[in-house]
Amino acid sequence: MSTDNPSDSEASVETTTPSTRVALVTGGSRGVGQGVARALADAGWHVYVTGRSAERLAATIEGREHSIFPLEVDHSDDARVEAAFDEIRTRSGRLDLLVNNVWTNPKGFMGFGSTFWERPVDDWDSLIGIGLRAHYVASVEAAKIMVPQGSGQIVHISSFGSRAPFHTVLYGMSKTALDKMAADMAHDLRETGVRCNSLWLGLIRTELLLSFGMEEFNGFPLDRAEDPEFVGRVIAALAEDPDIRSGDTIITAEYGRGHGIVNNDGAQPISHRGAFGGGPLFPPVTDAQLGLDTADEVAEHTGKSGAAENVAGH
């Protein structure tokens, strides 16, 4: 179990060198977070994972006790989140990658079939309070470490729910906000050496989903869905990819296909771009790309440069 002041026995396990890559994966007790943490560890990363208890993280750490380390964190508690980052700074001296993955199901959430007025209003507290706000808080704390060291990668786990109605209204709102957050954080992080990107994952082959013995889920074939470890391998690759543009939203299946990254069984996951009506919203398609001649009417009226000129470009 991790504490704010790790014991000597804990510290002795965590041997890092200046070349050691250090990652934090939030919400790493199961599913995507668990697979990402294990894939990063297998790629040589020194990985911290958060969960509400060390017991919940035991399966993630099993067999990788010298490369994955638990942090007990309730992501609704800003003070505990800040303490976790202080702990990483003390124990490892750096942070190279933050994977914002923590998420919690609203009470009674079944995924499909409910309109927004049929759902409790307090769905907001989980889908926005944790599914969005916790990512912002963790990103703030990560930037406090990464910007001074002059390097780092922040990744938000988003989805195609940004593009088309999916699950619930609040789910789509939270995912779209993550994509916008990545784009705007990238603007603030320009010239710091730190990048921020959002990832659109397809259907994930979790242990729970596979246990149902289905061949497809809501029309999506499971044999070409994404393993949680596949997502981790994609993240490990893009964290070291000099061609990734900060602020972009990236479709994991398409990045994997372009870089030879496959599932645990060697299969290539397929993109859901067409099923959801198109690709990422950020960066937005510009008027120039659409062949439109757009004038800055504010600048023309005032004689001063418009806001778009002042903030454009990362």
Side-chain angles (χ1 to χ4, degrees), residues 185 195 238:
M185 284 181 173
R195 300 186 304 191
L238 71 84

Side-chain angles (χ1 to χ4, degrees), residues 281-295:
L281 308 179
F282 296 100
V285 176
T286 66
D287 286 353
Q289 290 171 320
L290 294 174
L292 302 177
D293 185 12
T294 303

Side-chain angles (χ1 to χ4, degrees), residues 46-67:
H46 184 96
V47 184
Y48 293 96
V49 290
T50 66
R52 281 177 285 181
S53 71
E55 290 74 20
R56 293 168 66 97
L57 291 166
T60 301
I61 297 164
E62 184 178 3
R64 296 169 174 82
E65 289 80 2
H66 295 285
S67 55

Side-chain angles (χ1 to χ4, degrees), residues 92-178:
S92 293
R94 63 182 299 108
L95 180 65
D96 302 290
L97 172 64
L98 166 65
V99 181
N100 275 317
N101 170 75
V102 67
W103 193 80
T104 185
N105 274 318
K107 188 175 181 179
F109 181 71
M110 296 301 293
F112 294 86
S114 296
T115 59
F116 71 89
W117 63 88
E118 295 173 318
R119 293 294 311 162
V121 173
D122 62 11
D123 280 359
W124 180 280
D125 300 330
S126 54
L127 290 171
I128 304 298
I130 299 298
L132 177 59
R133 188 179 187 278
H135 295 61
Y136 180 81
V137 174
S139 298
V140 168
E141 297 303 327
K144 292 177 182 177
I145 300 175
M146 293 176 176
V147 171
Q149 75 189 19
S151 63
Q153 173 80 54
I154 298 172
V155 172
H156 304 323
I157 299 298
S158 185
S159 86
F160 286 86
S162 294
R163 181 80 198 193
F166 191 57
H167 289 322
T168 70
V169 169
L170 288 174
Y171 179 89
M173 287 170 58
S174 69
K175 295 305 184 182
T176 304
L178 286 177

Side-chain angles (χ1 to χ4, degrees), residues 70-93:
L71 296 171
E72 290 190 347
V73 178
D74 178 348
H75 280 272
S76 65
D77 183 345
D78 292 353
R80 182 63 194 104
V81 174
E82 182 179 0
F85 280 88
D86 287 342
E87 187 172 344
I88 292 170
R89 185 187 289 107
T90 298
R91 291 162 69 169
S92 293

Side-chain angles (χ1 to χ4, degrees), residues 4-35:
D4 290 340
N5 297 297
S7 66
D8 291 339
S9 62
E10 284 180 316
S12 65
V13 173
E14 299 184 51
T15 56
T16 60
T17 68
S19 62
T20 300
R21 298 164 298 176
V22 179
L24 169 62
V25 180
T26 67
S29 62
R30 59 183 179 178
V32 171
Q34 182 181 86

